[in-house]
Amino acid sequence: MPPHIDRRSLLLTATLGLGAYAIPGFAQGPNWIVDAFTHSVASGEPTSDGMLLWTRYVPKDGRTVKLRVEVSETPGFARVVAGGEAVTGPWRDHTAKISVTGLKPGTRYHYRFVAPDGRFSPVGRARTLPEEARQFRIGIFSCSNLAFGHFNAYANAAARDDLDLAVHLGDYIYEYAPGVYPSADVHIAARLPQPMAECVHLADYRLRYASYRADPDLQALHAAVPMLIEWDDHEFANDAWEGGAENHGANEGEWSIRRGAAIQAWREWMPVSDEPYAAYDLGGLATFFRTESRVNARTRPYELAPLFKNPDPAAALKAFRDGPWMDPTATMLGGTQENWLAHELARSVRSGRRWQVVGFGTIMGETRSPDASLGWLKPDASPFMRNRVNAGAVAAKAGLPFNLDNWGGYPAARARFLKSAQAAGANLVVLSGDSHNGWAYDLGQDGKPAGVEFAGHAVSSAGFESSFAADPAIIARATVAANPELKWCDTSRRGYMALTLTPDRVSNDWVFVDTVRERNPRARVGHTAVVQRGRNVMV
């Protein structure tokens, strides 16, 4: 059951004072301000003998406080088996993270934080990673836009009792001002997050996280299962890279300052370590690789639009395809992380792990626009969307993908990664987010199978259905037909993925919620894809 949010759970951000009270759907006012755990609890970074535990506690006078955490195998905390202490205050937005160790492998624990006056936080549950496993199940999420709709995907997953781990592949928040994305005619007014402006400064990002983390269904998921979290672009700004972003203008200050503010708020509000990437052993069954592919080393993505200003766009596209697009210096991960990942894939295989599972923020599978895509647009589609769809269709004729912000814009880097997986003999499963739609790819390199990719649909952000009037089944058939690596797609539904690992078989469910326009946790499995060990293609 989702934890109850009462008045004491409303936001108090010390750096903003009374202006920070607003949380979507709840009352405001200074009379209720008391010492309080404002945003429930969360866990992350699980190992076989420990985990990282998170909470936020705001004293009414904004003072520094020391919090304790208690860990028990029983919900009544009859016997506390581990714990720790942490000091927090306004310098870290009153959040606290405590790492506990000395736990038993593959064991579900209950945990709670204790305030200076002895009051307790809500109770969370988290399972340590097993040392040996014959099955392991992961819930996979991405693209959760508060104003687009309710987080019913989180609610459905939180109510399950069969998930060992949750993974969030990015766009946990969105940085836009109200009315931008979603537009004012689409957003749910009661779910507009604070601040009522674009996030640029540290106080902005802190308040945006506070608004998102006040959602009861997101709180329920965090309290039910440990989560590994990667960022993508909207934790910063749209289409971010190492040196800037599409949604960052010169009037918004130095990119490095905005980037640093976003990272600080993310580390404060997420149950994460400070390591940008890491590997996790899933019970000897698989290795999961958490990666960073956005702001630490990504080179600037190319754009298709400037090519259409050329007097001969077809020739410009061909020259781009044969030249800059194939630039080997273009990178998503950077050389250091590329080398780390290649070596760790090989290490995982040598150690006898049956599967190598890699999480990326954006899609790797080759995806080109079908010829018919322009005819799918809604009659009232914006000029921006018409130009974008037309550009994708024309680019496809030149052999180019429609999205250069994902791995489609970095073909040499993609080839390096897939070659490293082939050289290691990996049984590769790539998990990705970003697109808001569901996809299943057989990834190939040099004419040989390299792995499979399961790309997840959004928790709430709109997909192709927001711009296309055509039947989604027609869109799916045409898109699959136009892309040899693509074996299945869904372009109209929201939800999450549930991956099941066993020694010789991996299956992935795309779970579709009934709606995001009202709070309703009902969902069903809409598609399942399976890969057998040793095949690196779906059956």
Side-chain angles (χ1 to χ4, degrees):
M1 175 181 296
H4 176 65
I5 294 184
D6 57 22
R7 284 187 169 185
R8 288 176 52 214
S9 301
L10 294 178
L11 175 63
L12 173 60
T13 299
T15 55
L16 296 183
L18 300 184
Y21 290 160
I23 284 190
F26 300 103
Q28 303 179 40
N31 295 330
W32 47 264
I33 301 174
V34 294
D35 297 346
F37 290 101
T38 63
H39 288 80
S40 192
V41 296
S43 65
E45 303 295 329
T47 65
S48 62
D49 68 347
M51 63 189 69
L52 184 152
L53 305 175
W54 178 98
T55 195
R56 182 172 188 264
Y57 180 84
V58 180
K60 59 186 176 183
D61 58 3
R63 68 187 185 280
T64 297
V65 297
K66 182 183 291 185
L67 302 177
R68 291 188 295 115
V69 71
E70 298 178 342
V71 181
S72 176
E73 292 186 43
T74 60
F77 291 84
R79 178 171 173 264
V80 174
V81 298
E85 293 183 325
V87 174
T88 187
W91 66 89
R92 56 171 302 109
D93 209 10
H94 301 284
T95 62
K97 293 189 285 191
I98 300 175
S99 292
V100 295
T101 59
L103 306 179
K104 296 187 294 187
T107 302
R108 174 173 285 174
Y109 288 92
H110 299 78
Y111 64 93
R112 66 187 180 188
F113 287 82
V114 186
D117 62 3
R119 281 184 292 178
F120 297 116
S121 72
V123 174
R125 296 177 300 156
R127 192 191 306 272
T128 52
L129 297 181
E131 287 185 340
E132 296 183 11
R134 300 292 295 176
Q135 179 175 287
F136 195 89
R137 187 166 284 130
I138 307 172
I140 302 149
F141 308 86
S142 64
C143 305
S144 42
N145 190 309
L146 194 71
F148 257 119
H150 293 270
F151 292 163
N152 294 325
Y154 293 151
N156 183 270
R160 300 174 62 146
D161 199 42
D162 62 343
L163 296 179
D164 300 292
L165 182 68
V167 168
H168 205 293
L169 294 172
D171 296 345
Y172 185 103
I173 64 165
Y174 282 73
E175 85 283 10
Y176 293 115
V180 176
Y181 186 76
S183 60
D185 61 332
V186 172
H187 71 225
I188 298 176
R191 291 179 64 80
L192 285 174
Q194 295 292 312
M196 299 298 282
E198 183 178 335
C199 295
V200 176
H201 308 291
L202 176 58
D204 302 333
Y205 285 104
R206 282 174 165 176
L207 192 49
R208 189 61 55 93
Y209 279 105
S211 292
Y212 273 68
R213 291 294 301 273
D215 182 89
D217 297 317
L218 178 51
Q219 288 190 5
L221 180 62
H222 273 302
V225 63
M227 186 180 286
L228 297 177
I229 309 173
E230 302 176 13
W231 60 48
D232 194 38
D233 54 339
H234 290 292
E235 288 86 349
F236 300 87
N238 184 56
D239 289 358
W241 56 287
E242 182 182 15
E246 179 276 333
N247 190 31
H248 180 76
N251 63 332
E252 293 174 315
E254 290 290 335
W255 168 250
S256 61
I257 296 175
R258 182 176 185 177
R259 174 183 175 274
I263 290 174
Q264 179 175 336
W266 188 80
R267 286 177 173 164
E268 290 170 350
W269 280 88
M270 296 289 99
V272 296
S273 69
D274 290 345
E275 298 300 321
Y277 46 86
Y280 304 83
D281 176 37
L282 306 183
L285 184 63
T287 306
F288 178 80
F289 299 92
R290 174 174 61 81
T291 66
E292 195 290 317
S293 57
R294 185 51 75 174
V295 298
N296 282 351
R298 178 196 278 244
T299 51
R300 186 171 191 167
Y302 291 105
E303 298 179 24
L304 290 173
L307 301 176
F308 286 85
K309 297 178 181 179
N310 190 285
D312 187 350
L317 286 165
K318 184 177 183 297
F320 169 71
R321 179 198 66 200
D322 298 337
W325 186 54
M326 295 300 299
D327 185 355
T329 65
T331 178
M332 295 273 276
L333 305 177
T336 299
Q337 188 180 182
E338 280 191 16
N339 291 334
W340 169 83
L341 187 53
H343 283 92
E344 289 301 314
L345 284 169
R347 185 197 304 272
S348 174
V349 174
R350 290 196 305 269
S351 71
R353 271 56 184 171
R354 309 283 285 181
W355 301 95
Q356 287 69 46
V357 184
V358 184
F360 289 128
T362 58
I363 287 176
M364 177 166 282
E366 293 180 350
T367 319
R368 298 181 177 90
S369 297
D371 289 340
S373 57
L374 197 59
W376 297 339
L377 284 164
K378 292 180 177 179
D380 60 349
S382 68
F384 168 81
M385 186 54 63
R386 288 188 178 277
N387 290 337
R388 183 175 181 180
V389 173
N390 179 66
V394 175
K397 295 182 185 299
L400 291 166
F402 69 84
N403 186 358
L404 300 184
D405 182 62
N406 65 20
W407 285 89
Y410 302 80
R414 174 193 136 119
R416 290 194 296 269
F417 167 72
L418 292 178
K419 286 179 179 179
S420 72
Q422 289 173 328
N427 284 273
L428 177 67
V429 177
V430 170
L431 306 175
S432 57
D434 178 64
S435 79
H436 306 175
N437 302 289
W439 315 82
Y441 300 87
D442 285 337
L443 301 173
Q445 180 61 39
D446 298 329
K448 297 178 290 185
V452 300
E453 178 177 17
F454 303 138
H457 42 318
V459 169
S460 62
S461 300
F464 283 8
E465 79 284 355
S466 64
S467 299
F468 290 154
D471 184 337
I474 292 174
I475 295 173
R477 284 196 298 269
T479 306
V480 169
N483 292 283
E485 287 192 341
L486 181 63
K487 304 307 175 184
W488 170 87
C489 69
D490 177 272
T491 64
S492 65
R493 291 174 286 187
R494 313 279 73 80
Y496 66 102
M497 299 191 298
L499 185 81
T500 302
L501 296 151
T502 65
D504 298 312
R505 180 180 187 269
V506 172
S507 64
N508 188 67
D509 295 335
W510 282 263
V511 182
F512 298 127
V513 296
D514 285 356
T515 181
V516 297
R517 300 303 294 177
E518 62 184 33
R519 193 176 178 203
N520 176 356
R522 287 194 301 270
R524 62 181 179 84
V525 175
H527 183 74
T528 300
V530 174
V531 57
Q532 301 285 357
R533 188 174 185 275
R535 296 284 304 277
N536 275 331
V537 294
M538 286 172 279
V539 298

